[in-house]
Amino acid sequence: MVFLARFPENDYFCTAIYIVIGMMNGKPRVAVVGNNTLALIGLRHLLQSVMPMIEVDTLGSFAELTANNPDQYFHYFVSIEIMLSERAFFLERRRKTIVLTTAQTETAQLSDFHCLYINQPEQQLLRALLQLEQHAHSGGRNLPPTVRDDSEQRPVLTRREIEVMALIVQGFINKEVADKLNIGLSTVITHRKNIMEKLGLKSVSALTIYAVTHGYVDVNLVKS
């Protein structure tokens, strides 16, 4: 399946991204390829948090990729070092390759590829990945019915809890939320506690993912 997502030039993607997702046993499958184990694990965690319906394999080398039936993956996130050393392979598959780079400016070596700038705070990288997800899969769009979100299983939040959640995700602190909603600070803190308990979440990043992917907050309003 091929979907087109276009992002503004000042976003964290160098150009339009063709999101090509391979299906394996009914689940979308992508590969993250690089020799930095911590970076691979971190990106896998973010990808699976943003799109829990996908399978993400972390591969530590190009040899590991080629030994693992590379054509089962129709979407690669690959380190710039591996892309440069195996340029011919990835150039042939450039429409489904996203190069992980620490440089914000595009170089001649990267001009043929889509790029994701990874040397940035987690919240900014999360926002970039959420933009990718929202352009391609908002509301389960372009996904098989078996992996789409079942809204009937969502925890029930009150109208006020939704309002509080939306403001928190947009970067407002508790006092600012209280002022905007004309409620007490202690009430905001109570709502916040109840929201996190109902959703089973532990961090604002996780709350951001939930709010955006379930349509409560526009990704463009998320604080970067």
Side-chain angles (χ1 to χ4, degrees):
M1 297 181 292
V2 182
F3 315 111
L4 175 64
R6 295 190 180 278
F7 297 86
E9 291 182 0
N10 61 354
D11 209 315
Y12 303 110
F13 297 87
C14 295
T15 184
I17 293 181
Y18 290 85
I19 306 166
V20 189
I21 299 181
M23 298 299 299
M24 192 71 167
N25 297 326
K27 295 194 73 174
R29 183 177 290 268
V30 303
V32 182
V33 189
N35 52 21
N36 185 324
T37 302
L38 287 177
L40 296 184
I41 293 172
L43 184 55
R44 180 180 65 185
H45 173 74
L46 281 176
L47 285 169
Q48 290 183 322
S49 296
V50 171
M51 294 184 285
M53 73 293 294
I54 68 172
E55 290 284 351
V56 181
D57 288 348
T58 55
L59 307 171
S61 67
F62 180 72
E64 192 174 346
L65 173 64
T66 56
N68 202 39
N69 185 17
D71 287 330
Q72 73 170 299
Y73 305 108
F74 292 97
H75 196 51
Y76 310 113
F77 289 82
V78 59
S79 71
I80 187 172
E81 295 84 5
I82 291 178
M83 184 280 293
L84 291 175
S85 66
E86 304 295 340
R87 182 180 176 83
F89 174 90
F90 291 107
L91 190 60
E92 184 178 346
R93 298 162 175 82
R94 61 185 178 276
R95 284 194 171 183
K96 59 181 180 180
T97 297
I98 296 176
V99 179
L100 306 176
T101 176
T102 57
Q104 287 184 283
T105 57
E106 183 177 326
T107 67
Q109 293 173 316
L110 297 175
S111 60
D112 293 319
F113 295 93
H114 315 304
C115 302
L116 176 62
Y117 175 59
I118 59 172
N119 191 21
Q120 57 183 314
E122 178 184 352
Q123 193 70 6
Q124 293 180 6
L125 182 57
L126 174 62
R127 184 174 184 269
L129 291 172
L130 282 169
Q131 287 178 319
L132 172 64
E133 188 274 340
Q134 286 294 286
H135 276 80
H137 306 297
S138 179
R141 186 175 69 253
N142 299 323
L143 289 174
T146 55
V147 296
R148 291 177 185 169
D149 175 62
D150 185 354
S151 59
E152 294 182 358
Q153 297 179 2
R154 297 182 192 176
V156 178
L157 299 179
T158 67
R159 179 183 59 83
R160 181 63 83 187
E161 287 171 344
I162 291 172
E163 292 173 339
V164 171
M165 175 178 66
L167 291 172
I168 291 171
V169 167
Q170 292 176 61
F172 295 102
I173 62 174
N174 289 343
K175 184 178 185 306
E176 293 171 327
V177 173
D179 292 342
K180 283 184 172 293
L181 297 180
N182 196 28
I183 57 179
L185 179 59
S186 61
T187 301
V188 172
I189 294 172
T190 298
H191 281 314
R192 187 167 185 156
K193 178 176 179 291
N194 291 340
I195 292 166
M196 301 302 273
E197 287 181 352
K198 282 185 177 182
L199 300 180
L201 303 176
K202 303 295 184 181
S203 68
V204 174
S205 292
L207 186 64
T208 299
I209 292 168
Y210 180 87
V212 172
T213 57
H214 287 80
Y216 291 115
V217 177
D218 188 319
V219 66
N220 296 308
L221 297 178
V222 174
K223 183 179 180 182
S224 60

